[in-house]
Amino acid sequence: MISINSMPDHLHMLFGMRPEQSLSNLMQIVKGDSSEWINDERLSSSLFRWQEGYGAFSYQKSSLSKIATYIENQQLHHKKTTFLGEYRQFFKKI
């Protein structure tokens, strides 16, 4: 894990993985184990479940510190734009 930060409606994680590793298996473990922990610790007033699916993006090593800073500054960033607004803007660029 290189960087992680959460907002009320989403979570950003920056991590490295080997090419032979499965992203879907990793996300299944992260979501499953974290849901179990949140529910065991009663950190939510109702049964906690992640939404289905996830977004994943690759990065260049040269961009690593810029991406980590972006993740660490989510609270400030989302005062300017919502997650959904940012997500839509991202896909308009590609």
Side-chain angles (χ1 to χ4, degrees):
M1 182 64 58
I2 299 167
S3 184
I4 187 169
N5 198 352
S6 66
M7 295 296 295
D9 61 350
H10 68 283
L11 172 76
H12 288 262
M13 297 187 307
L14 176 61
F15 55 88
M17 55 188 299
R18 294 181 186 92
E20 68 273 5
Q21 291 176 299
S22 165
L23 178 60
S24 61
N25 287 347
L26 174 64
M27 293 310 301
Q28 182 178 14
I29 291 166
V30 168
K31 286 177 147 186
D33 288 359
S34 61
S35 293
E36 183 178 359
W37 180 76
I38 289 167
N39 289 318
D40 287 350
E41 296 296 319
R42 293 178 168 67
L43 300 176
S44 177
S45 59
S46 59
L47 182 64
F48 179 83
R49 289 187 170 173
W50 290 102
Q51 70 180 29
E52 290 188 31
Y54 55 87
F57 305 92
S58 59
Y59 60 88
Q60 296 176 338
K61 276 192 172 186
S62 61
S63 300
L64 199 60
S65 64
K66 182 178 177 181
I67 297 166
T69 299
Y70 165 80
I71 289 172
E72 291 159 12
N73 291 315
Q74 282 298 291
Q75 284 75 7
L76 294 173
H77 179 74
H78 285 302
K79 284 183 180 181
K80 298 175 190 171
T81 184
T82 65
F83 170 70
L84 187 55
E86 179 182 29
Y87 203 65
R88 286 179 176 151
Q89 285 298 322
F90 176 78
F91 283 105
K92 284 181 182 178
K93 291 180 183 177
I94 42 180

